[in-house]
Amino acid sequence: MIGFGSLIDAVTIPLLATNHLNIRQANNSPFSPVDDLFTPHEPPVNWCALGDSYTAGPGTGTDYDTDKDCARNVGSYAIQMEAEFPFNVTNDLDFIACSGGTSPDTLVQARDLVPQDRHDFMVMTIGGNDIGFSDIAIECLVKAGIFPGDCDVTLARAKALLADPTFESNIHAVYDEIFAKMEDDRHYQLYHIFYHRFFSEVSNPGTDWCNKKTFALINPRLSRSLRGKINSLADALNARLEEVAANYIRKQQGKASWSQGSRLIAINPDRLTNDAGETYGLFDGHRFCEPGMTQLRDPAVWFFATLAKDSVQRRAVEVEEKAAFLTLPEFAVQSFHPRSAGFRAIKRLLQENLQRYRPAEG
């Protein structure tokens, strides 16, 4: 993991608080909504989910709408949270996330599809497609057996894009547009959710069963080295996103609405802390190649493998919808994305963060 994360720890201004280590309670108890004493107007609470496929939810449950290009599905954490809102109040969701979206694409979403002064908070995932994160999975985990050099080239390109100042400036442009669309008040917030490692910790010998496995027909084999490279890139992406968020928050110093509370909440699901102060990842125990598993398509894995089924049953597609034409592209998009069970965990994490950062006001 590159050393961007330590930069966050140096930020002691109240703007960031402890957003980089989102404290999460044990997730084995029923989630209970609380009264909303934070939103400064009568219900409903209006919110928006935008960004890329890690919010759109390709392959999870049934189609949300008829926009096949964006592959928005009802298993997304956003749709799940709309039905299980963390506050005892009605809510109104605008779900505009689009699979494949880069930061410039999300900037267009925010500019053209987000009304002025409508939303109390927004949630999004962006940054992964800016470095070709989905391409990396295909090049390194599916095609590398045929064109082995492509993986190293793709990884090198991704690292270069991460280090390029344009990566940060593009995301800051999205932040600027989103906050310009909300009232300049501490009650209006953005929650930026990051990404996940695909594989269990490679140093654990219990994962060695995976060394000879492959997502393709023959190669590439999922060696410790290959799995480690992919995990390291996910770590680097999340660390860079932490740095990007921290730099943006610093730029807001002196602004009244930012000095009164957290407005940009950065959520790294691979770097959480439990009640004992221990660091862990949201998908721990549910990644590919976990100790005790024997297959990549184990039901306990929270990611789609190639051509894998969801953790919930999909709606049967009507014959007149030309099922093969419409659903096969989504099967390609959904690979290496969260399944419905994974989005359920992300929903819970977001619920907890909303209750934490939208507190009761005495």
Side-chain angles (χ1 to χ4, degrees):
M1 178 174 178
I2 57 179
F4 297 124
S6 59
L7 183 149
I8 300 285
D9 298 323
V11 180
T12 57
I13 55 178
L15 305 178
L16 187 61
T18 54
N19 300 355
H20 66 295
L21 289 179
N22 293 274
I23 298 173
R24 178 170 170 267
Q25 305 300 319
N27 198 18
N28 55 4
S29 59
F31 185 81
S32 299
V34 299
D35 291 340
D36 176 24
L37 301 177
F38 186 80
T39 304
H41 61 77
E42 294 299 314
V45 173
N46 301 303
W47 60 293
C48 179
L50 67 166
D52 60 27
S53 52
Y54 270 66
T55 293
T60 58
T62 60
D63 299 330
Y64 173 77
D65 54 23
T66 59
D67 188 341
K68 301 297 180 181
D69 291 335
C70 287
R72 287 185 283 262
N73 286 52
V74 300
S76 164
Y77 70 83
I79 301 303
Q80 293 191 42
M81 196 178 78
E82 180 186 30
E84 300 177 46
F85 203 57
F87 302 102
N88 291 316
V89 65
T90 55
N91 75 99
D92 190 354
L93 166 65
D94 289 332
F95 186 33
I96 61 174
C98 192
S99 296
T102 61
S103 293
D105 294 330
T106 304
L107 178 63
V108 174
Q109 286 180 10
R111 185 181 63 224
D112 296 348
L113 301 179
V114 175
Q116 185 68 41
D117 296 336
R118 166 174 164 76
H119 298 106
D120 299 295
F121 68 89
M122 300 192 205
V123 299
M124 71 175 182
T125 51
I126 61 168
N129 288 323
D130 294 40
I131 65 165
F133 202 47
S134 297
D135 295 336
I136 292 161
I138 298 300
E139 295 291 349
C140 295
L141 301 178
V142 179
K143 289 173 56 180
I146 304 173
F147 307 105
D150 287 355
C151 178
D152 290 337
V153 170
T154 304
L155 288 172
R157 184 188 307 120
K159 293 175 183 177
L161 290 171
L162 267 183
D164 193 303
T166 303
F167 180 86
E168 178 167 320
S169 62
N170 283 344
I171 294 176
H172 281 194
V174 176
Y175 290 164
D176 283 340
E177 184 66 26
I178 285 175
F179 285 112
K181 285 295 182 78
M182 293 191 287
E183 294 188 37
D184 187 20
D185 183 281
R186 68 187 179 89
H187 295 90
Y188 300 90
Q189 303 167 318
L190 170 63
Y191 293 76
H192 184 178
I193 304 172
F194 302 165
Y195 300 91
H196 313 261
R197 286 182 167 200
F198 292 147
F199 298 102
S200 182
E201 178 54 56
V202 297
S203 63
N204 187 333
T207 69
D208 285 349
W209 66 268
C210 215
N211 290 339
K212 296 183 178 180
K213 297 292 184 180
T214 177
F215 288 108
L217 294 177
I218 302 176
N219 286 315
R221 304 296 180 181
L222 299 177
S223 65
R224 278 195 183 190
S225 174
L226 178 57
R227 288 182 279 131
K229 288 179 181 179
I230 302 301
N231 277 355
S232 293
L233 184 64
D235 290 342
L237 172 59
N238 282 348
R240 182 74 166 109
L241 288 171
E242 286 184 335
E243 181 188 39
V244 167
N247 288 343
Y248 187 83
I249 291 171
R250 283 196 190 91
K251 289 166 59 177
Q252 312 312 312
Q253 291 188 69
K255 297 181 180 179
S257 65
W258 285 77
S259 63
Q260 298 168 353
S262 301
R263 296 199 66 196
L264 171 58
I265 293 87
I267 302 176
N268 183 349
D270 263 357
R271 201 156 71 93
L272 307 174
T273 54
N274 60 20
D275 294 339
E278 301 165 327
T279 302
Y280 72 104
L282 184 67
F283 277 34
D284 285 355
H286 300 279
R287 308 179 199 267
F288 294 121
C289 304
E290 294 283 1
M293 294 182 181
T294 60
Q295 57 179 328
L296 295 174
R297 292 167 181 81
D298 190 289
V301 174
W302 284 351
F303 291 108
F304 281 108
T306 51
L307 301 179
K309 296 180 179 180
D310 192 17
S311 47
V312 299
Q313 186 174 0
R314 287 182 59 105
R315 168 179 59 95
V317 181
E318 298 295 334
V319 174
E320 57 265 30
E321 288 184 332
K322 306 296 183 184
F325 177 77
L326 291 178
T327 59
L328 281 177
E330 191 164 314
F331 268 113
V333 173
Q334 73 190 29
S335 299
F336 310 110
H337 286 77
R339 300 162 73 204
S340 289
F343 278 125
R344 191 174 303 119
I346 297 170
K347 172 207 66 179
R348 175 68 179 257
L349 178 62
L350 181 57
Q351 289 171 324
E352 292 165 352
N353 274 271
L354 282 162
Q355 288 189 354
R356 181 183 182 196
Y357 289 104
R358 299 181 69 82
E361 298 190 326

